[in-house]
Amino acid sequence: MMKNAADFYFSLLQGFILSLDDSSQECKLRYIQNFKWTDTLQGQVPSAQQDAVFELVSMGFNVALWYTKYASRLAGKEDITEDEAKDVHRSLKIAAGIFKHLKESHIPKLITPVEKGRDLEARLTESYIIQCQAEAQEVTIARAIELKHNPGLIAALAYETANFYQKADQTLSSLDPTYAGKWRKYLNLKSCFYMAYAYCYHGQTLLASDKCGEAIRSLQESEKFFTKAEALCKEYGETKGPGTTAKPSGHLFFRKLGSLIKNTLEKCQRENGFIYFQKVPAEAPQLELKANYGLVEPVPFEFPALNTHWTPETVAAFDLTKRPKEDTAKPKPDEEVKPLKEPNIKPQKDSGCQIS
């Protein structure tokens, strides 16, 4: 129902942007109305542009956010089913696809450049794309662990996911920490968490290859990253900033890893003491892991075609001389938009995900 409503609105908006004769000339209605939107990081003071493209991309951005919220709600259920897990995975890939399409195809068409730190700015949209991919990949990892897939595959997926989170953090590094600092703490802790996973399962792979000394060193590195992730969880909880605060350290998936590292390391140390007698290297093994399966790509997205209600007669019916003269592209400095009351779509329990 949400998709149908959004598609209908998008198809209507296209009539304010596209020429009816499919020419490259823009529609004369594009600048008829001033549109205002608030942002995820900038509070309730809106940004505004007198441009229908701004409305199109802002609405598209919020539809993508809806998919992340829907995924977060499903992921937070007490007993998530296999079909629901697939829905979480699919929703995050769709969201990534929408963000990617907006960034590459429509935001560059805005006449007025996007203000720094606003949702439509390149650094933020890129971070949203990467984080959606990373969180979708988390579902893949959980599934691979549940089905007891090859530890080498799990290690590679975890390593790729850690790199996703690190890349998203680096993308935000030049933003003002006042509003991006909390987000970056989250990305940092998730990167450390999945590096811990990667080293843990890589250690299992090394043990299976009779490289017990290297396996111990890999598990020690895993333990180090897990301890760092725990510390970052505390820092993240204490950092002020926009958005809700997830509690990944209390999540079962997080707690299980701590036990897995401890038990696997103890097993490796026992085996080395009884069977292998191998020296433990001083340096941690270099992870050069590449997953051949399970990597997430954004689902391609396109806005729907121009609504059939748009005809030459419809366009001609608009009298551009009668548009409100007081429309301005800039909101008043102290103007705030009160948030709309939303239906309760919060997860029943913390999912460990932060994007929504």
Side-chain angles (χ1 to χ4, degrees), residues 4 12 65 103 109 209 220 227 236 247 276 356:
N4 290 340
L12 287 177
L65 282 183
K103 178 177 179 284
K109 294 177 183 176
S209 303
Q220 289 172 341
T227 302
Y236 165 68
K247 297 176 182 176
Y276 295 102
S356 284

Side-chain angles (χ1 to χ4, degrees), residues 299-342:
V299 172
F301 174 82
E302 291 286 341
F303 282 116
L306 183 70
N307 194 290
T308 53
H309 288 302
W310 283 105
T311 63
E313 292 75 26
T314 310
V315 176
F318 283 85
D319 187 349
L320 299 184
T321 64
K322 292 184 178 180
R323 70 183 184 188
K325 292 182 179 179
E326 64 272 14
D327 263 9
T328 56
K330 290 283 184 181
K332 296 174 184 176
D334 57 347
E335 182 181 7
E336 288 199 6
V337 177
K338 292 182 180 179
L340 291 172
K341 186 177 180 181
E342 295 184 31

Side-chain angles (χ1 to χ4, degrees), residues 51-346:
D51 187 348
V53 173
F54 179 68
E55 174 70 1
L56 183 74
V57 294
S58 297
M59 185 67 188
F61 189 92
N62 276 265
V63 169
L65 282 183
W66 183 91
Y67 276 105
T68 68
K69 288 179 179 291
Y70 179 65
S72 180
R73 186 188 187 193
L74 282 181
K77 292 183 70 174
E78 290 292 342
D79 297 304
I80 186 168
T81 66
E82 182 179 333
D83 285 342
E84 286 169 336
K86 288 179 181 177
D87 219 3
V88 171
H89 193 256
R90 182 183 63 85
S91 295
L92 288 165
K93 290 197 297 180
I94 290 172
I98 297 173
F99 287 130
K100 188 173 188 286
H101 182 65
L102 295 176
K103 178 177 179 284
E104 294 177 353
S105 303
H106 293 278
I107 294 174
K109 294 177 183 176
L110 290 169
I111 299 299
T112 306
V114 179
E115 298 171 54
K116 289 183 179 180
R118 295 289 182 174
D119 283 344
L120 304 180
E121 204 222 318
R123 290 172 293 183
L124 270 77
T125 49
E126 181 65 15
S127 290
Y128 273 118
I129 294 165
I130 299 167
Q131 189 172 339
C132 282
Q133 289 178 270
E135 293 196 349
Q137 225 155 265
E138 289 190 55
V139 180
T140 307
I141 293 169
R143 178 73 174 161
I145 292 170
E146 183 185 359
L147 296 179
K148 295 180 170 57
H149 278 291
N150 186 299
L153 173 62
I154 296 170
L157 283 170
Y159 181 62
E160 300 269 16
T161 304
N163 286 338
F164 267 141
Y165 280 116
Q166 186 181 44
K167 185 180 176 184
D169 174 52
Q170 289 169 348
T171 304
L172 296 174
S173 62
S174 56
L175 285 172
D176 186 344
T178 305
Y179 53 79
K182 185 175 181 178
W183 189 357
R184 291 193 63 200
K185 284 283 185 197
Y186 173 81
L187 296 171
N188 233 309
L189 77 86
K190 274 300 186 78
S191 178
C192 287
F193 177 67
Y194 279 99
M195 282 300 288
Y197 252 113
Y199 274 110
C200 179
Y201 277 90
H202 185 58
Q204 292 183 28
T205 304
L206 290 169
L207 180 62
S209 303
D210 296 325
K211 297 177 180 178
C212 196
E214 291 179 42
I216 291 171
R217 187 63 187 87
S218 187
L219 267 297
Q220 289 172 341
E221 195 69 8
S222 175
E223 198 171 47
K224 185 180 84 174
F225 273 106
F226 185 76
T227 302
K228 187 177 178 182
E230 283 185 311
L232 283 167
C233 280
K234 185 178 179 183
E235 289 177 28
Y236 165 68
E238 294 170 352
T239 304
K240 297 187 182 301
T244 55
T245 302
K247 297 176 182 176
S249 60
H251 196 258
L252 181 61
F253 196 59
F254 194 99
R255 297 199 309 271
K256 274 185 176 179
L257 177 59
S259 301
L260 180 65
I261 294 169
K262 180 176 179 291
N263 294 338
T264 310
L265 177 58
E266 288 175 356
K267 177 186 175 183
C268 288
Q269 288 169 333
R270 282 196 306 271
E271 296 292 311
N272 204 42
F274 279 108
I275 303 171
Y276 295 102
F277 307 104
Q278 293 175 0
K279 184 179 178 181
V280 177
E283 296 294 325
Q286 290 295 312
L287 295 183
E288 296 177 356
L289 307 173
K290 186 71 180 174
N292 296 317
Y293 308 98
L295 292 176
V296 168
E297 289 294 330
V299 172
F301 174 82
E302 291 286 341
F303 282 116
L306 183 70
N307 194 290
T308 53
H309 288 302
W310 283 105
T311 63
E313 292 75 26
T314 310
V315 176
F318 283 85
D319 187 349
L320 299 184
T321 64
K322 292 184 178 180
R323 70 183 184 188
K325 292 182 179 179
E326 64 272 14
D327 263 9
T328 56
K330 290 283 184 181
K332 296 174 184 176
D334 57 347
E335 182 181 7
E336 288 199 6
V337 177
K338 292 182 180 179
L340 291 172
K341 186 177 180 181
E342 295 184 31
N344 181 19
I345 59 169
K346 291 181 180 178

